[in-house]
Amino acid sequence: MKKRHESPDIDWAHIPFGYIKTDYNVRCAYTNGEWGEIAVSDSETVDLHIAATSLHYGQEIFEGQKAFRGVDGKIRIFRPEENAKRIIESAKGLNMVPLPAERFVEMMEMVVRLNERFVPPYESGSSFYLRPLEIGTTARVGVRAADDYLFILFGTPVGPYFPDGFKPTKVVIYREYDRAAPCGTGRWKVGGNYAGGLVATMRAKREGYSAVLFLDPKEKKYIDECGAANFFAIKGNKYITPKSNCILPSITNMSMQQIARDMGLEVECRPIPPKELREVDEAAECGTAAVASPISEVYDSDNDVHYVIAKDGKPGPVTTAIYEKLRAIQYGREPDVYGWMHEVKL
């Protein structure tokens, strides 16, 4: 094995949000009705049967989360137990065999320990992104769930999701695209959900927007998700966020709601019509990758309506306060009163 403390040649303050090869990943296979032992691998590839159910029938789920090197030098993972719960629900939704939560956390700790030298230093502002995924590996031609599964967990150092940092961006509404179907897979973290949004997302970027603000797929009356992230807005003393069975329950959004309550805000999870954007004071998209990205304007392309939110072009004070509070907890600058951070013993 490579030396754990040998520092890689990386400019930590200027790394992209992308894949950088690290030393090891960990894997666990489900065969003959049980999960096997965790295996450590230095390979970046998977030997997969050409008829695997993950390739033909979409039995593929994943998660995204981060580990942070704190101001005290300790490494902590943000709320891994919640990611474990969510991937278990995704597995059930696609008729896959869930990996036990304890095994999930164990594999996560192993990846961090094995790749400790790739966890960015505190001063850099970067983090260590963790990607767990599970795929069906049984060869099938008929439409049936797999009997065998492979769970893989790897990590990579990442910089900010948006290179320009915590600055407001413009998003757009297109009614001709749906991200996920009502009562479909939108509530689970399935690769197909993201593939289904790529055409709309690429169009938005070509037209100068950072993301698509998808509307509910049934009636096109309410805001659903913002690209690959949840949406929230500040309206007076309220933190409002969409309620829908098509939305992935964001752990970041859930955490921000708790911070908002503790700041004295009322939290409302409810349908939000686009026209209500005229009344909001602030808006943002939120998720593991970006944490929070303020929205300056929403353009409703079908009705040619511009909802200008950040009139001065700056992040709103409430969004900024919530964002900074969460980041301070993640990097250990403030006490973790919620018990969200899971320390990795090295």
Side-chain angles (χ1 to χ4, degrees):
M1 288 202 176
K2 300 173 182 64
K3 293 180 180 179
R4 196 169 71 177
H5 299 293
E6 184 181 315
S7 180
D9 185 18
I10 294 176
D11 182 0
W12 296 113
H14 299 94
I15 57 176
F17 191 94
Y19 177 79
I20 295 174
K21 185 182 185 306
T22 55
D23 293 332
Y24 302 103
N25 59 79
V26 296
R27 310 177 183 205
C28 188
Y30 182 87
T31 56
N32 300 318
E34 62 181 3
W35 288 101
E37 297 298 316
I38 300 171
V40 177
S41 174
D42 61 2
S43 172
E44 296 175 276
T45 63
V46 177
D47 185 8
L48 194 60
H49 195 286
I50 58 174
T53 60
S54 54
L55 299 178
H56 296 265
Y57 303 119
Q59 281 198 299
E60 180 274 341
I61 56 177
F62 71 102
E63 275 297 320
Q65 59 207 114
K66 289 179 179 178
F68 303 85
R69 195 182 297 274
V71 65
D72 57 2
K74 295 180 179 179
I75 299 174
R76 300 175 180 88
I77 306 170
F78 182 63
R79 307 194 75 173
E81 295 82 4
E82 292 299 327
N83 289 94
K85 291 177 187 176
R86 194 167 68 177
I87 203 168
I88 286 171
E89 289 305 308
S90 295
K92 292 177 181 177
L94 269 65
N95 200 26
M96 300 170 70
V97 178
L99 182 79
E102 306 79 36
R103 183 71 62 89
F104 178 94
V105 175
E106 181 184 1
M107 291 176 72
M108 190 145 299
E109 291 181 336
M110 285 182 68
V111 166
V112 172
R113 288 194 197 98
L114 290 165
N115 298 289
E116 180 199 348
R117 70 195 190 102
F118 287 94
V119 180
Y122 166 75
E123 299 83 5
S124 68
S126 298
S127 57
F128 191 70
Y129 187 82
L130 292 153
R131 172 54 58 85
L133 68 148
E134 182 179 344
I135 55 176
T137 56
T138 304
R140 292 269 193 253
V141 175
V143 181
R144 279 178 54 204
D147 294 324
D148 312 292
Y149 296 91
L150 178 63
F151 199 101
I152 305 169
L153 210 154
F154 67 89
T156 184
V158 295
Y161 188 76
F162 292 106
D164 293 334
F166 188 68
K167 296 180 180 178
T169 62
K170 297 179 180 181
V171 300
V172 62
I173 295 172
Y174 302 127
R175 283 174 178 75
E176 64 261 48
Y177 305 106
D178 289 328
R179 177 187 161 272
C183 302
T185 59
R187 56 203 148 151
W188 306 311
K189 203 164 179 68
V190 178
N193 294 342
Y194 299 85
L198 284 176
V199 170
T201 298
M202 293 304 102
R203 174 184 167 185
K205 291 186 182 298
R206 286 194 304 270
E207 296 178 359
Y209 301 96
S210 65
V212 178
L213 187 58
F214 289 98
L215 300 185
D216 76 280
K218 185 175 182 179
E219 300 180 282
K220 302 290 185 179
K221 289 183 178 180
Y222 305 105
I223 294 170
D224 229 24
E225 278 204 318
C226 193
N230 273 200
F231 172 88
F232 74 87
I234 305 300
K235 183 180 178 182
N237 196 46
K238 294 180 179 179
Y239 178 113
I240 59 175
T241 192
K243 183 178 182 179
S244 166
N245 63 359
C246 297
I247 295 175
L248 181 73
S250 165
I251 296 165
T252 303
N253 193 357
M254 178 171 61
S255 304
M256 288 185 161
Q257 288 175 39
Q258 182 61 60
I259 293 172
R261 289 189 188 96
D262 291 349
M263 288 172 54
L265 276 71
E266 181 182 348
V267 174
E268 291 184 351
C269 298
R270 60 169 174 81
I272 304 171
K275 64 182 181 181
E276 191 175 349
L277 293 171
R278 292 192 184 98
E279 305 166 11
V280 305
D281 304 306
E282 305 173 31
E285 52 183 302
C286 64
T288 297
V291 184
S293 177
I295 295 171
S296 60
E297 180 182 312
V298 178
Y299 176 53
D300 185 338
S301 65
D302 299 280
N303 297 313
D304 194 24
V305 176
H306 293 264
Y307 298 104
V308 180
I309 299 167
K311 296 179 176 62
D312 60 359
K314 298 178 181 179
V318 178
T319 301
T320 300
I322 295 172
Y323 168 82
E324 290 182 346
K325 177 74 172 180
L326 181 55
R327 296 281 284 173
I329 293 171
Q330 290 174 332
Y331 282 101
R333 293 191 294 268
E334 289 195 20
D336 178 21
V337 297
Y338 306 109
W340 289 342
M341 304 307 294
H342 181 96
E343 183 180 342
V344 179
K345 302 295 185 183
L346 301 175

